[in-house]
Amino acid sequence: MIIDIIKVILWPKHTAFEPRIIVFLPGKINIITGESATGKSTLTSIIDYCLGSGKCAIPVGLIRDVTGWFGLHLQLANTEMIVARRNPEEQQTTTDLYWVEGIDLKIPSTITKNARVQDLKHRFNQLSNLPTLDFSTSEEIGYAHRPSFRDMAAFNFQPQHIVANPYTFFFKSDTTEHREKLRVIFPLVLGAIDANTLTKQRELRDLEKEHRRVSRELDARMNAARAWEAEIESYFIQAKSLGLLPDSLNHESSWKLDKYILELKKVPAIVKKADLPDIQEGTNETAAKELTALINEEDQLAQRIGSAKRRLTKLDQLSYTMNEYGETLAEQEDRMQSTAWLAEKLGSTYKCPVCETVHKHGNPHLANLQTLALDLQSLTEKIYQAPAKLDKELVELREELRQLERAISKVRKKRKFLEDQSVKQAAQRQKVRQVYLFVGRVEQAIENVRSSRNVGDLRKQVNELAQKIGLLKNELDPRAQKARLNQAVESVSLRIRDYAKDLKLEHSNTNIFLNIKELSLEFGQLSGRKDFLWEVGSGQNWVGYHIATMIALHEHFINAPNNPVPGFLVIDQPSQVYFPDAWPSIDQESRDKDGKDISADIAGVHRIFSVLARFLTAVNNQFQIIVTEHAGSITWEGIPDVNIVGNWRKGHDEFLIPDTWI
């Protein structure tokens, strides 16, 4: 995919200042050299952010404090594009985007949002000819979702923390999501599979899903047919027991399913001609009314019986209490009879036995006792007269209760009769209903047998789907795909070895293999042992193999038709593992013209630029390289296709943020 970065643009928050524009050339090794803390490494984050990164990795501090928008001016295959993203400020990211595409675009002085980041991603997906289908061959997609332009960033950036990292080889592959997705897309970017392959894989998955569905339906119908065979035989036996097939012979073991069906087909016609008993219109309604009236009458009688029983109980209790009370009064009356004897003895005049005083007016206490005795005698007579009245009322109440019991018994007998009649009618109705339901089940069973036997179309559909699946599996032969993938990996691995030899890296004479499963390099020793990059020492080797692998991969990408990986590579500080006594600045470089005074560290970095130039020549300069570097020109002097973008040292070019902005 052709994408060249023509300019990196920063729009200041203070609109009185002009935008900061950094110009790059296509097909060149674009170098920005300078001191630390000048913004060199930030260029990687700016480019990644403007190309649709999900998060903004641009460092907080001065750059974000003074910059309002970050942008790129891109050269595409046939057009140009200016894309800018707003400073997220306190957020991790923002979807605010400015995007314009055309010919001979001019950089606007101010930026206004006119699109979303998702729109830009869709456009890049179109430009990179990425398939719209996912990689999964099953319904469980996982990390095998649709490939995206953003997935290709793994091959475009080698930031400072990656370029010399023995454990992480590709940009952002230090996270599980990007690492797993990179493993999935490697066959696509290497050309082992393409959009047509993914289309066929999706078609195969859909056909297999449909084949399973139709096969299940066919099996269900076949199982139903076998189940209906036993059901049909049982229906024949039930029809005989209900008297619906009086002229049919008893079944025999030699009968086939068709024989049973032939006999059962007679049942509906026989039922239509049969003289089934009818229920007289209105009978049920009248019986229901009579039964309801009897139930109400029974309830009323039951209430009256309950009331009479309660009255009878209370009268019995009263009679018993009166008898007990009368006996008590009689005992008291007997004790009071001694008052007459005292009156006789004492008379009207009496002498006090204590003081011997003579009283001529009688004894008042004795008079009170005599009065009380008379009252008690009167009460006792009244009590003895009460039982006769109570007995009469008890007799009348018992007779009333017997009459109520006879009445409720009569009502209950009549109710039982009506209920028995209703049960008989219900049984009659149930029998008629049973017959008609049975006829319905027989007709449905016969129809189900016919439907379950009609599986010719399903069999044909299953066979056709199986043939299509077989053809697709032959076209998607996994062995052929694996062979193409192995061939591509072998080709890239050979180029890695060639570039490693040019870089004079250790183990460059061993069997170097790009392991796309481990996302690292594998070194095959003569002893048969295999070592990975993290087992190979020296930071120089780590940087060298990172660069050798990246340019070997891009050489393969460029030679592959319609490859979706953008044709540029950003490398940050490849000289970080080299430690000369002092990196000479551009204006302070002094050495022997024969190079005798050049240190091994400087020579090592010089080889890196030399190999990058050799790679550009191999691909006819159809690729763009951007290097941000602390080292000076001594490390790339004499190397072709080098474009010095800027010297970010004091007294030379402006840094990433101009002094006027601060």
Side-chain angles (χ1 to χ4, degrees), residues 186-473:
F186 241 119
L188 174 68
V189 298
L190 289 176
I193 61 175
D194 53 18
N196 185 45
T197 303
L198 294 180
T199 301
K200 290 181 178 180
Q201 285 180 350
R202 169 60 68 87
E203 184 181 359
L204 176 61
R205 188 174 71 190
D206 294 341
L207 286 174
E208 287 177 335
K209 182 179 179 180
E210 180 67 11
H211 183 268
R212 290 193 297 270
R213 186 192 66 79
V214 177
S215 297
R216 285 195 299 269
E217 184 177 351
L218 177 60
D219 292 340
R221 287 199 184 183
M222 296 300 295
N223 292 333
R226 288 189 288 269
W228 282 116
E229 290 180 6
E231 197 80 9
I232 289 294
E233 184 176 348
S234 69
Y235 282 154
F236 175 81
I237 297 173
Q238 291 181 53
K240 290 285 289 182
S241 65
L242 291 171
L244 300 178
L245 292 174
D247 299 330
S248 297
L249 300 175
N250 293 329
H251 68 102
E252 299 177 359
S253 59
S254 60
W255 281 21
K256 301 296 184 183
L257 181 62
D258 291 336
K259 175 64 175 174
Y260 286 109
I261 293 176
L262 184 63
E263 294 295 326
L264 286 173
K265 283 183 177 179
K266 303 175 185 178
V267 170
I270 292 174
V271 170
K272 289 180 182 178
K273 295 179 181 179
D275 186 17
L276 296 175
D278 295 330
I279 306 300
Q280 186 176 356
E281 184 178 355
T283 302
N284 293 332
E285 183 179 356
T286 302
K289 288 182 179 180
E290 292 181 2
L291 185 59
T292 302
L294 286 173
I295 292 172
N296 292 334
E297 185 179 354
E298 182 182 358
D299 290 341
Q300 293 175 1
L301 288 171
Q303 292 176 3
R304 292 176 61 187
I305 289 172
S307 177
K309 285 182 177 180
R310 288 191 294 273
R311 286 166 53 203
L312 181 60
T313 301
K314 290 180 180 180
L315 286 175
D316 284 337
Q317 292 175 350
L318 179 60
S319 177
Y320 176 78
T321 303
M322 292 291 290
N323 290 332
E324 291 288 327
Y325 187 44
E327 292 177 359
T328 302
L329 290 176
E331 292 177 358
Q332 292 180 358
E333 185 180 4
D334 291 340
R335 289 196 297 270
M336 294 297 291
Q337 289 179 358
S338 59
T339 58
W341 178 81
L342 286 173
E344 181 182 352
K345 296 299 183 182
L346 293 176
S348 59
T349 302
Y350 72 95
K351 182 180 181 181
C352 178
V354 178
C355 64
E356 295 183 353
T357 302
V358 177
H359 296 275
K360 297 181 179 182
H361 302 290
N363 192 330
H365 297 290
L366 180 59
N368 290 337
L369 286 174
Q370 288 176 332
T371 302
L372 181 60
L374 292 174
D375 292 341
L376 184 60
Q377 182 180 2
S378 175
L379 180 60
T380 302
E381 290 175 357
K382 292 180 180 178
I383 290 298
Y384 280 137
Q385 293 174 359
K389 296 180 180 179
L390 284 175
D391 289 342
K392 182 181 178 182
E393 189 170 352
L394 283 171
V395 170
E396 292 175 354
L397 187 56
R398 288 191 177 99
E399 179 61 26
E400 180 185 353
L401 185 58
R402 282 193 292 271
Q403 290 177 359
L404 291 172
E405 288 174 343
R406 286 194 294 269
I408 198 171
S409 177
K410 182 179 178 180
V411 169
R412 285 175 176 171
K413 288 179 180 180
K414 190 175 180 180
R415 175 183 173 182
K416 185 176 183 301
F417 174 78
L418 289 177
E419 287 178 341
D420 290 342
Q421 288 296 110
S422 179
V423 169
K424 290 179 181 179
Q425 292 176 359
Q428 187 179 21
R429 290 194 302 271
Q430 179 62 26
K431 183 177 180 180
V432 174
R433 180 174 178 272
Q434 182 181 4
V435 169
Y436 284 120
L437 287 176
F438 176 73
V439 172
R441 288 197 297 269
V442 168
E443 290 178 331
Q444 185 61 50
I446 294 173
E447 176 62 24
N448 289 337
V449 171
R450 186 192 65 79
S451 298
S452 61
R453 284 180 162 184
N454 186 20
V455 295
D457 292 342
L458 282 178
R459 288 187 186 277
K460 181 179 179 182
Q461 191 176 357
V462 169
N463 292 334
E464 289 177 351
L465 288 171
Q467 290 177 359
K468 291 180 180 179
I469 290 171
L471 291 174
L472 278 176
K473 284 186 174 180

Side-chain angles (χ1 to χ4, degrees), residues 11 26 171 219 269 301 336 437 442 483 502 522 545 553 573 627:
W11 283 269
F171 182 54
D219 292 340
L301 288 171
M336 294 297 291
L437 287 176
V442 168
D502 292 339
E522 184 180 290
Y545 279 115
L553 281 168
Q573 300 284 27
V627 180

